[in-house]
Amino acid sequence: MVHRRAVPPRAEVQALCPRAAVRRVRARGDGGRAAGLTAAWTDRLDAALSLTARRYTFERTHPVAGNPLAGFFRRDVAAMGRAAVAGRPERLLVRASTGAPGWAAVPWLAFFAPQVTRSMRHGLYVAVFVNARDEGVVLSLQHGAADALRLHGPDAGLRHLRAQAAATRAALPGHGFRAGPVDLGSPAALPQGYQAGCAIWDAWSARDGALEGFDAELVRMLDLYRLRVAP
């Protein structure tokens, strides 16, 4: 669904930047998407992800160069991700992307164990995907898709990724996350690869503003990741 009514994003984005007090974002009563700013919200990362999920489809109708939401996601959401893992015992690289040179079908925030991978293209990592079509957020323990699709081709690559995901899932009994097929809201080749390479996951709707329990689930997912990739 494309939000055809232009809603200036700068005030919302500024409210979630690290230099400003974070405010909860919610839909207006008159039907305008993601406009009202209400009481202070300390869960900065999930607030930022929620905002991105609700605005992304509309923002993709504009050029990505200089777009405030794109810059906010690449810069500030990545910084929020780094702050979220700063106290962890293991080293993690944190990156965020809305695509390059154009808009990505599915923007992502990812946490990489550098001894395993430093890229979304291959290896095992924890990813947060924005499903713009459904205005949702997906947290995933993820096998990188791009290299598998390039090496094996589209069909065999998807089978290879599903097999990798199944092996990872089997090595984590009692993980407590969802294990069935995941939907990232895009038929494009790379998101389909991400779906195939997803071992375990959870998802939230951003339409009510909050991503209830996201912070705790991110910690649990990163703990499982550490167990899986520890030397």
Side-chain angles (χ1 to χ4, degrees):
M1 176 179 67
V2 175
H3 305 314
R4 301 185 183 280
R5 179 174 168 221
V7 182
R10 293 182 183 275
E12 293 177 85
V13 171
Q14 179 60 35
L16 291 171
C17 286
R19 295 176 299 279
V22 177
R23 303 257 170 202
R24 181 175 176 180
V25 183
R26 68 182 182 187
R28 286 194 304 212
D30 63 3
R33 213 18 117 183
L37 296 177
T38 60
W41 202 8
T42 57
D43 295 330
R44 298 160 67 95
L45 180 56
D46 72 327
L49 292 166
S50 174
L51 172 66
T52 304
R54 286 176 287 127
R55 290 210 59 90
Y56 195 75
T57 295
F58 174 76
E59 296 298 337
R60 284 186 72 192
T61 64
H62 298 80
V64 68
N67 183 276
L69 185 71
F72 167 73
F73 192 84
R74 291 192 303 263
R75 179 188 63 249
D76 296 305
V77 171
M80 294 176 197
R82 293 184 191 106
V85 301
R88 293 188 61 83
E90 77 275 28
R91 181 186 174 213
L92 292 167
L93 301 180
V94 182
R95 293 173 181 153
S97 177
T98 56
W103 291 100
V106 177
W108 51 263
L109 168 70
F111 303 84
F112 306 104
Q115 75 273 17
V116 175
T117 185
R118 296 168 179 259
S119 168
M120 291 281 284
R121 298 186 62 87
H122 61 269
L124 187 68
Y125 49 86
V126 172
V128 183
F129 296 109
V130 173
N131 177 342
R133 182 197 67 192
D134 301 327
E135 296 185 359
V137 173
V138 175
L139 172 66
S140 170
L141 182 59
Q142 186 70 41
H143 286 274
D147 284 357
L149 295 174
R150 177 180 57 84
L151 290 171
H152 301 287
D155 294 336
L158 293 178
R159 290 195 297 271
H160 175 78
L161 287 163
R162 292 187 189 105
Q164 284 187 310
T168 297
R169 194 159 47 245
L172 297 170
H175 52 74
F177 285 94
R178 304 190 205 185
V182 65
D183 185 0
L184 298 180
S186 172
L190 194 54
Q192 291 295 305
Y194 291 145
Q195 290 177 187
C198 174
I200 55 177
W201 59 281
D202 204 349
W204 294 261
S205 171
R207 288 174 178 169
D208 294 327
L211 306 181
E212 201 65 42
F214 174 84
D215 289 351
E217 292 297 88
L218 175 61
V219 169
R220 284 209 312 121
M221 187 72 83
L222 290 170
D223 287 346
L224 290 172
Y225 181 46
R226 182 179 61 183
L227 290 173
R228 185 67 184 136
V229 303

